[in-house]
Amino acid sequence: MKRKFTQICFVVMCMLFAGKNYAATITATVSGNWSSATTWSGGAAGATVSGLDNIVIPAGITVTLDMDVQVTSILSSISVSGNLNSTNSHSLMINSGTLSGNGGMNLYYLELGTVGGMSFTGGLTVNRFVTSNTSLTLGSQVNLIDTICLKAGTLTLGNGSILNLSTNSNIKVDDGSLAISGGVFMGTNVYNIMYVGSSKTTGIEWNGTGATNAYVMLSSASQSLTLAGDMTVNGTLHHNMGTLRLNGNMLTLNGDYMSMNNAAIAGSQTSDLMMHSTGSLSSDMMFASGAQTLNDLHINTASTSNMANIASDLTIYGELMLEKGKVNMTNNSTIKMNTGSTITQDAGSLTLASGSSFNGTSSYNVHYVGNNKVGGVELTGSGLNNLDVDLTSYAYEAMITGDLLVNGTLMLN
């Protein structure tokens, strides 16, 4: 029985290693199309690289990828020491196996599967780059034209690597993530960030100064995106699905906010929201049940008429800073000032839509700065403690339109 088993193994090994269909080195000898047999020696490189096949593009040779190509065996490889350029929308998919070399590649679509390796150290220009590799360390200089999709695993920028984002390119974060270990993340051009799939935490994709638009489009309302640090959205925050958890960090909106019904923001006593938009926000903000709190809420828009609507209850623990623009409570919501909190009013205001209310029963303070003031809902709380009038000129005045009870100190600075 043992002898028969040995014979079977010998036959199998012979089948694996005898013939180019099982093990072949196919080398480009002249520049030409991938699909052309005259480009190669050792056989033609087809649409599927499998078995033990090794595709070699030597230095000085340029091969044009004029067809979709897949590498399907963990023992297969493509080595590019020359150049590999794709035409139209043709793709290179390393489902398993290795992409290596130190030449140059200009590809429309490159995808690395779960066991698709890439030890390539040359220059790569790619329109769309998708990776699902469990743990991949990048060693090449990548110029991204359109989108990089972090489908799964961790893509680490290793020593000598550069990820350069072209203008209006995108980072799509699914179940994968970016990390840095000696490499460089170049995000100086305007680029966008998209979050899809299940719950996740923000990462180095926000390290670039060019981060502009953000898209939160998780798979369900029960999924969440948690901030790992302060986030500044210079364009529009498109909040379509899921909860955005501030997690004790500061969210700054320098542009617009657009949301749908299944989107909510989760604040906390240590989280801050800064609204510095150039106009009124397109959508109401809804805070998640059990997380309807903020430390500081700051509005400073381009005009005093610009408005930010809040459509859920909200408690302020620190400062409500009304620098310019209106914070408007809608949807029968209540804004509450916690004990020790302060409303600082400059050229902004706090307004209440029909059915909404102001809760000032806890001890809170009001600070008037800037020019003329007419007292509003900020003075109506029974817990009003200190009122500080500190206008920029003696010629300005603060006017009250009803009875006023100051439980602490009235300071006329």
Side-chain angles (χ1 to χ4, degrees):
M1 178 65 70
K2 181 177 180 181
R3 181 179 179 183
K4 185 176 181 180
F5 177 77
T6 303
Q7 290 174 338
I8 293 173
C9 290
F10 176 75
V11 171
V12 171
M13 293 298 291
C14 288
M15 291 175 62
L16 287 174
F17 291 100
K20 68 178 182 179
N21 290 332
Y22 296 97
T25 296
I26 303 173
T27 303
T29 54
V30 295
S31 296
N33 290 333
W34 182 284
S35 64
S36 175
T38 60
T39 303
W40 311 95
S41 67
T48 301
V49 181
S50 59
L52 300 177
D53 286 353
N54 179 27
I55 307 297
V56 178
I57 302 175
I61 299 293
T62 297
V63 174
T64 300
L65 194 69
D66 61 337
M67 63 191 304
D68 295 339
V69 174
Q70 295 188 57
V71 180
T72 61
S73 170
I74 195 170
L75 299 178
S76 299
S77 67
I78 296 179
S79 176
V80 182
S81 296
N83 292 281
L84 178 62
N85 303 326
S86 65
T87 60
N88 300 323
S89 58
H90 292 302
S91 63
L92 174 60
M93 300 178 66
I94 314 294
N95 298 325
S96 59
T98 304
L99 178 60
S100 63
N102 59 2
M105 294 192 294
N106 192 330
L107 303 176
Y108 178 82
Y109 182 94
L110 172 64
E111 181 170 349
L112 302 175
T114 305
V115 289
M118 180 174 168
S119 59
F120 182 75
T121 57
L124 167 63
T125 296
V126 59
N127 199 60
R128 297 191 63 194
F129 185 16
V130 179
T131 175
S132 301
N133 189 286
T134 304
S135 180
L136 176 66
T137 298
L138 196 67
S140 58
Q141 298 80 50
V142 177
N143 182 35
L144 181 72
I145 303 300
D146 191 311
T147 301
I148 181 169
C149 179
L150 305 171
K151 198 171 182 180
T154 301
L155 177 63
T156 301
L157 306 181
N159 290 328
S161 69
I162 299 174
L163 177 58
N164 180 55
L165 305 180
S166 298
T167 301
N168 295 324
S169 59
N170 308 286
I171 299 177
K172 186 177 182 180
V173 183
D174 195 340
D175 288 331
S177 62
L178 273 177
I180 296 179
S181 180
V184 178
F185 177 78
M186 293 284 291
T188 55
N189 295 315
V190 170
Y191 69 96
N192 310 304
I193 303 169
M194 296 177 281
Y195 295 98
V196 299
S198 59
S199 295
K200 52 185 54 68
T201 302
T202 60
I204 67 169
E205 64 273 6
W206 283 98
N207 285 10
T209 57
T212 303
N213 299 309
Y215 297 81
V216 181
M217 304 180 294
L218 303 181
S219 57
S220 71
S222 63
Q223 305 300 318
S224 61
L225 173 65
T226 301
L227 301 192
D230 295 344
M231 177 191 290
T232 298
V233 181
N234 291 315
T236 299
L237 173 55
H238 299 267
H239 194 177
N240 295 348
M241 179 78 76
T243 300
L244 178 59
R245 298 190 178 278
L246 303 188
N247 193 34
N249 297 294
M250 179 187 296
L251 172 63
T252 301
L253 300 177
N254 289 333
D256 199 3
Y257 177 76
M258 301 181 69
S259 69
M260 299 182 71
N261 291 335
N262 292 312
I265 296 174
S268 70
Q269 298 180 23
T270 57
S271 300
D272 301 323
L273 175 59
M274 307 290 160
M275 295 181 287
H276 298 167
S277 59
T278 56
S280 295
L281 299 186
S282 295
S283 299
D284 293 0
M285 284 191 171
M286 180 73 72
F287 284 81
S289 177
Q292 297 173 331
T293 57
L294 285 174
N295 178 42
D296 292 343
L297 173 60
H298 185 184
I299 184 167
N300 183 22
T301 59
S303 168
T304 56
S305 62
N306 295 149
M307 185 175 295
N309 291 327
I310 297 178
S312 64
D313 294 343
L314 181 63
T315 299
I316 304 297
Y317 280 79
E319 182 180 31
L320 173 58
M321 176 62 183
L322 305 168
E323 190 167 349
K324 185 185 289 187
K326 298 178 181 179
V327 173
N328 183 45
M329 306 301 295
T330 67
N331 197 33
N332 298 321
S333 60
T334 298
I335 185 166
K336 178 181 179 181
M337 303 306 296
N338 196 63
T339 301
S341 61
T342 298
I343 300 175
T344 300
Q345 185 174 346
D346 190 348
S349 60
L350 172 64
T351 58
L352 305 174
S354 177
S356 296
S357 60
F358 174 76
N359 185 336
T361 56
S362 299
S363 178
Y364 72 100
N365 308 304
V366 173
H367 184 200
Y368 284 142
V369 296
N371 53 20
N372 293 321
K373 296 290 177 293
V374 177
V377 296
E378 71 278 356
L379 298 179
T380 62
S382 60
L384 177 60
N385 185 34
N386 299 323
L387 173 59
D388 183 4
V389 181
D390 189 13
L391 306 183
T392 55
S393 169
Y394 70 89
Y396 294 139
E397 61 183 23
M399 180 183 299
I400 61 173
T401 58
D403 295 340
L404 178 65
L405 173 63
V406 179
N407 293 302
T409 302
L410 172 62
M411 292 174 284
L412 302 176
N413 294 329

